[in-house]
Amino acid sequence: KVKCQKSGFTIIEALVFLFIFTVSVLSFYQAFNVGMNYAIESKKKLQAITLANEQIEKMRNLGYENLSDGTTENVQIIRSGITYKVTTRITNFDDDGDGEYPADEISWDYYKIGGEVNWGANNKKINMSAIVVPPIREEDANKGYIRLHVINQNGDGLPSASVSVREIANNK
């Protein structure tokens, strides 16, 4: 009598292995795909931030005296095959910290330049802004003020916060 030894896998074992292998490969592929989509969207968002910053800096470089309230600029820019719609707006503000018009001879104290960039089929957008202050025109240039917004760890304002500012002598 000769004993026959079987070696190898049964068809069931091979099918189970193939199923597990396929599920594993598809899971890794899906994770890679999601990661690539996040990377691509991050690149688009970074480009939008750069475009908004460029437009704001362009306006800031005009100089305070050349800015005017209500100015709006709309441009479309194509970068890396993506079309971005960039809107820049200028508004002026009268800061009540130094009095309000007419007691404050200057009816506005600074300009706010806002930049908004839209892109993509889902109309994704980012907003940025910058403050442009005039050359000192107040009567007493040796005085100024600081406006602080105190917030807690959740970002909520603390209206009753106490803040003190002291002058430190310059020891040279």
Side-chain angles (χ1 to χ4, degrees), residues 119-132:
W119 74 96
N122 296 335
N123 203 22
K124 295 181 180 176
K125 72 177 179 176
I126 59 109
N127 289 298
M128 292 179 68
S129 63
I131 303 293
V132 179

Side-chain angles (χ1 to χ4, degrees), residues 7-43:
S7 63
F9 300 102
T10 65
I11 190 79
I12 302 282
E13 290 171 331
L15 288 174
V16 168
F17 170 76
L18 187 59
F19 176 75
I20 292 171
F21 179 76
T22 304
V23 168
S24 299
V25 168
L26 288 176
S27 297
F28 283 120
Y29 174 75
Q30 183 66 21
F32 177 76
N33 196 23
V34 168
M36 286 301 293
N37 285 338
Y38 279 127
I40 290 168
E41 286 305 314
S42 293
K43 182 179 178 182

Side-chain angles (χ1 to χ4, degrees), residues 76 112 132:
Q76 283 195 353
K112 180 179 179 182
V132 179

Side-chain angles (χ1 to χ4, degrees), residues 1 6 10 35 45 62 69 73-74 77 85-86 97-98 104 108 113 118 121 147 152-153 155 162:
K1 283 188 173 181
K6 292 184 180 179
T10 65
K45 186 174 183 178
L62 292 174
D69 184 43
E73 182 180 50
N74 295 306
I77 300 172
K85 180 184 173 198
V86 183
D98 63 347
D104 179 14
W108 67 91
I113 303 172
N118 296 292
R147 174 177 276 179
N152 64 15
Q153 71 256 13
S162 174

Side-chain angles (χ1 to χ4, degrees), residues 75-90:
V75 294
Q76 283 195 353
I77 300 172
I78 299 174
R79 296 255 174 105
S80 301
I82 308 297
T83 301
Y84 296 91
K85 180 184 173 198
V86 183
T87 303
T88 312
R89 290 183 187 89
I90 300 174

